[in-house]
Every structure is written in C-alpha cells, then in structure tokens.
Amino acid sequence: MQSKLLAPYEIREMTFKNRVVMSPMCMYAVEKKDGIVTDFHFTHYGSRAVGQVGLIMLEATAVLPEGRISEQDLGIWSDDQIAGLKKLVAHLHKSGAKVGIQLAHAGRKAQVPGPIYSATKLAFSEKYQTPEALTIPQIETVVSAFQKAVKRAEAAGFDVIEIHAAHGYLVNQFLSPLVNRREDQYGGPIGNRYQFLNEIIEAVRSEWTKPLFVRISAEDYAQEGVHLEDYLMMSRWLRDQGVDLIDVSTGGVIPLEAYDVYPGYQVQYADRIRKKVGIATGAVGMITTGNQAEEILRNERADLVFIGRELLRDPYWVKTSAKLLNAEDQLEVPTPYQRGWR
Ligand SMILES: Cc1cc2nc3c(=O)[nH]c(=O)nc-3n(C[C@H](O)[C@H](O)[C@H](O)COP(=O)(O)O)c2cc1C
C-alpha cells in the first residue's frame, strides 16, 4: 500500500520526509539549571531521528528563566544556550529529520523560585505559587523574549518554530477567561484575550520566514472556559497572521479531576479547525498505531500526526508502522541498519 503517513509533506517550501512528528515532550534532563542541552538530549532525540521521524519537535523550551516549568527545563533565553542547540540540530539533520523547537513560557505553572507571572494574580492550585499579574511593560518584555528566542533558534539552525499556546501555560492563561480577569486591553472579550498571542506571532513572524506552528488547547473542559467555536475564530486570526499549522491539543488551563480520554480523543478538533478554517492542522493525543495515523491522514482529518508517549515506548515507531501498513519500501533505512531493517 502507498502510505500517506510515510509520504513526504511540504509546507512553506520545506519538505518533511513523512508525516510523523515527535510531539514536544519535556524531559527535565538539564543538569545545571542553566537550560543547556545535555548528553541525554542527544541520545533521546537522536534515536528518534535515526528511527526516521520526519519532524522532531523539541520539548517546551523556555524563553525566560522564570517561564520554566522546572529548573531542569531547556532554555533559549541566553546566547550561551545556542551552541548546544546548534550541535543538537546538526546531529538530528544528519539522519534527515527536520527539527522544530517549541517556544514556551509556563506563566503561573512555573515551579521555579519566584516571582512567577500570569495574566492575573490567581494561582493554578494551592500547590502552586501565586503569580504576579504581568504589567504592560512586563508584557512587552515577554513578547520581546519570544522574538529574541526566535533569533537564537535561527542561529541554531532550526527548521520549524512552534509557539506553545496550550496546556494552561502563559499564552493559554491570557486566552482563557478562566484565568484572564484583566480589565485592560489584554482582558475581556476574545479579541482582547488574543492580543498577547497576536503580539507574539507578529514579533515571531518579523524574524522567521520558515514554517510556524502554534499549539492550542481547543477545549478548556469547563463551562465558562474557551471552546472550539472560540478557537475557530482565533485559528482564522492565526492563519491570517501567517501561521502555517495549528497543532491541536486540549485542556490544562485548570486542574481537572479527570476527563474522557480515548484513542484519538482530540482528532475531532484538528479535523474541524482544518475544514472550517482552511489551515493545516496536526492531530495529537493517544494516536498509537500506524493504522490509526493512516486513517486520520487519509480521511483528511489532519495534515500531520504528532506522536508522544508511543515514541517514548518505541523510538522506531515509524518502522513499526511501515511494517504494519505494508509500506516498508517507502521507508528510508539508515545505512548502518540495512542488514537489520530490510
Ligand atoms: C513526558 C511528557 C512531556 C510532555 N511535555 C510537553 C511539552 O513540553 N509541550 C507540549 O506541548 N506537550 C507536552 N506533552 C504532551 C504531549 O506532547 C502530547 O500532546 C500528549 O502526551 C498526548 O499525546 P500522546 O497520547 O501521543 O502521548 C508532554 C507529554 C508527556 C508524556
């Protein structure tokens, strides 16, 4: 069978060798609280690159030290962090993978020595620090930190940038009325709550001509929160601002006891945004088999599939899927592995 999963994908004049994306996953593997890449990152990302993942999206990487989830997060707030990232990108390129970086700020979900910041002075839960509400000059500093991070990502040779606007981190804290209670131009109606992301995208696009992705949480799972309808509107704004692909996740804005999770539970959101807005989307969340991924792509419910935990279990998931789909002839085989893979 000709597999769509294994077929190349072109976006903004860049070609990924297949439609498998390694979903961004924090590894908390920085050793000296300096945000710098370690040997572990070379082994971890390197094995997925040898495993023929088309696009490797590096984990949430902090644009400011106070925007880290933990002190073990990767960082891109300083020029000292460029060399390690550059070496890692070059290493992954050797296996033919394209490499992206997810630029992030944890906001009130930061678990680092304070002060920490959010849209509003409202803690995530009693286990978290209470954040300061960002002042307008401080908002400008954060926007400019994203812009500087993009320059560093360019210097490090990344192919794709993804802005982390999901899972209840800082950008999501501005987007959701469950957290954003501001009374200035950044709070209130949806257009105002979008303003922070709007400024970040503008700053990023002024520096970056390559593919730009945004990860969103299309559903807050709370009545008073943000729902798909709101994200359809915001996705149109993102499309019009030159974002190439929306990576569609859900949740994380408020602590939830449990929500209904099942195979492909978020695909419906990627599907609707893709069809109603006319922008490329990535599907993510409990996509674990090649058949499931192929179904999503063939039925045009998303353009790319992001694989998270299954790639932690099986770094050779692309090969496993190629075999399942009877499409091993579409798979590039790393030369040293020829005798094992063919
Ligand atoms: C260990 C781990 C770390 C994660 N870190 C991030 C992250 O840095 N950024 C992000 O957007 N999502 C993160 N996620 C969410 C994944 O990218 C993915 O959306 C989620 O695990 C659902 O996909 P899956 O069922 O294929 O794992 C993380 C998930 C895991 C398991």
Side-chain angles (χ1 to χ4, degrees), residues 75-76 78-87 151-153 155-156:
I76 190 161
S78 154
D79 288 349
D80 298 340
Q81 291 153 341
I82 298 173
L85 291 168
K86 188 171 179 177
K87 209 171 153 195
K151 285 190 187 167
R152 295 185 187 111

Side-chain angles (χ1 to χ4, degrees), residues 157-221:
F158 283 98
D159 304 296
V160 174
I161 282 180
E162 173 164 289
I163 303 299
H164 197 351
H167 302 165
Y169 295 111
L170 184 63
V171 177
N172 202 175
Q173 290 159 31
F174 273 81
L175 296 176
S176 176
L178 297 174
V179 186
N180 184 345
R181 309 271 168 84
R182 296 178 74 97
E183 289 174 0
D184 60 7
Q185 66 269 39
Y186 293 94
I190 185 171
N192 289 12
R193 285 182 275 118
Y194 180 78
Q195 182 56 18
F196 181 55
L197 177 56
N198 174 42
E199 288 175 22
I200 291 172
I201 301 293
E202 250 178 49
V204 169
R205 258 293 169 235
S206 72
E207 302 288 344
W208 185 254
T209 53
K210 291 185 259 183
L212 176 60
F213 296 4
V214 175
R215 176 167 272 199
I216 61 164
S217 278
E219 176 57 57
D220 279 354
Y221 301 113

Side-chain angles (χ1 to χ4, degrees), residues 12-294:
R12 208 175 268 265
E13 291 163 29
M14 183 176 290
T15 306
F16 306 148
K17 65 180 157 192
N18 57 47
R19 294 159 201 238
V20 182
V21 183
M22 179 175 183
S23 202
M25 284 179 284
C26 285
M27 288 291 113
Y28 309 115
V30 165
E31 285 161 12
K32 294 183 184 151
K33 304 183 182 181
D34 55 6
I36 291 178
V37 163
T38 64
D39 289 349
F40 175 82
H41 296 104
F42 280 82
T43 308
H44 170 65
Y45 291 113
S47 43
R48 278 75 192 176
V50 170
Q52 300 304 303
V53 169
L55 171 64
I56 295 192
M57 187 65 73
L58 252 63
E59 63 204 79
T61 302
V63 300
L64 286 168
E66 64 271 27
R68 289 173 295 173
I69 300 167
S70 80
E71 291 181 304
Q72 286 69 46
D73 289 20
L74 281 181
I76 190 161
W77 66 80
S78 154
D79 288 349
D80 298 340
Q81 291 153 341
I82 298 173
L85 291 168
K86 188 171 179 177
K87 209 171 153 195
L88 178 60
V89 173
H91 179 61
L92 305 178
H93 277 164
K94 281 188 199 152
S95 295
K98 295 291 184 204
V99 191
I101 184 164
Q102 189 186 47
L103 300 182
H105 190 306
R108 69 177 188 161
K109 283 176 119 178
Q111 291 180 294
V112 292
I116 63 165
Y117 301 91
S118 183
T120 315
K121 202 176 161 121
L122 207 59
F124 179 65
S125 77
E126 64 281 7
K127 295 195 189 105
Y128 284 73
Q129 290 178 65
T130 301
E132 308 280 324
L134 284 168
T135 62
I136 295 201
Q138 285 171 332
I139 288 178
E140 283 165 16
T141 305
V142 177
V143 172
S144 146
F146 272 93
Q147 186 164 5
K148 289 178 188 152
V150 171
K151 285 190 187 167
R152 295 185 187 111
E154 177 79 55
F158 283 98
D159 304 296
V160 174
I161 282 180
E162 173 164 289
I163 303 299
H164 197 351
H167 302 165
Y169 295 111
L170 184 63
V171 177
N172 202 175
Q173 290 159 31
F174 273 81
L175 296 176
S176 176
L178 297 174
V179 186
N180 184 345
R181 309 271 168 84
R182 296 178 74 97
E183 289 174 0
D184 60 7
Q185 66 269 39
Y186 293 94
I190 185 171
N192 289 12
R193 285 182 275 118
Y194 180 78
Q195 182 56 18
F196 181 55
L197 177 56
N198 174 42
E199 288 175 22
I200 291 172
I201 301 293
E202 250 178 49
V204 169
R205 258 293 169 235
S206 72
E207 302 288 344
W208 185 254
T209 53
K210 291 185 259 183
L212 176 60
F213 296 4
V214 175
R215 176 167 272 199
I216 61 164
S217 278
E219 176 57 57
D220 279 354
Y221 301 113
Q223 188 80 44
E224 305 298 315
V226 185
H227 308 288
L228 181 67
E229 285 303 316
D230 307 296
Y231 274 103
L232 288 173
M233 190 180 298
M234 288 191 266
S235 299
R236 285 187 196 102
W237 297 336
L238 290 169
R239 177 199 64 195
D240 294 346
Q241 282 190 280
V243 168
D244 298 297
L245 180 139
I246 302 188
D247 167 11
V248 189
S249 189
T250 63
V253 172
I254 48 165
L256 289 171
E257 293 278 301
Y259 52 94
D260 200 16
V261 169
Y262 50 88
Y265 66 105
Q266 296 172 146
V267 176
Q268 56 180 313
Y269 302 101
D271 186 0
R272 288 197 216 144
I273 290 174
R274 186 178 190 278
K275 296 206 173 79
K276 295 206 164 162
V277 177
I279 186 167
T281 59
V284 66
M286 279 188 78
I287 301 167
T288 54
T289 69
N291 281 342
Q292 199 189 348
E294 186 73 19

